[in-house]
Amino acid sequence: MQKIRILGVTVSEKIKHPEQIQQIFSMYGNIIRTRIGLNEEKDGFAQLYGIILLELFGDEEQFDALEEKLHSIHGIEMQSMNF
């Protein structure tokens, strides 16, 4: 059965390689149904920190693998809801 997980990802300004986040999202693009970015702005420009909301749809094993990859990046915190 297909599952749904809502994943909240907090990205801090301490991230040294923000491109890693996009690479991971691309790797798991097949399970990301919705992605919403809530960024802090300063002087009209989005900063490297904020909150990303993901709606994941599919297999729980892939959800867990995505979370594990994101946890490996220093400066990221996550919370999730399962349905």
Side-chain angles (χ1 to χ4, degrees):
M1 180 177 168
Q2 299 287 322
K3 298 288 186 174
I4 296 173
R5 182 176 295 177
I6 304 298
L7 187 62
V9 181
T10 301
V11 181
S12 80
E13 54 204 25
K14 299 174 188 173
I15 295 236
K16 294 194 183 356
H17 302 286
E19 67 278 0
Q20 288 179 314
I21 299 168
Q22 182 56 45
Q23 290 172 347
I24 293 169
F25 289 166
S26 294
M27 286 173 52
Y28 292 93
N30 62 316
I31 62 169
I32 299 173
R33 183 187 285 178
T34 306
R35 175 178 164 182
I36 300 170
L38 308 171
N39 299 311
E40 182 72 28
E41 287 193 17
K42 185 176 182 181
D43 300 325
F45 295 98
Q47 301 298 302
L48 292 177
Y49 53 95
I51 296 173
I52 301 169
L53 300 174
L54 300 173
E55 176 194 15
L56 308 178
F57 182 79
D59 180 54
E60 287 186 273
E61 289 181 18
Q62 286 190 316
F63 300 167
D64 295 339
L66 167 61
E67 285 190 46
E68 185 177 317
K69 294 250 187 220
L70 289 172
H71 271 298
S72 71
I73 299 175
H74 178 72
I76 285 187
E77 293 181 33
M78 288 183 288
Q79 293 193 16
S80 65
M81 295 184 289
N82 294 297
F83 299 96

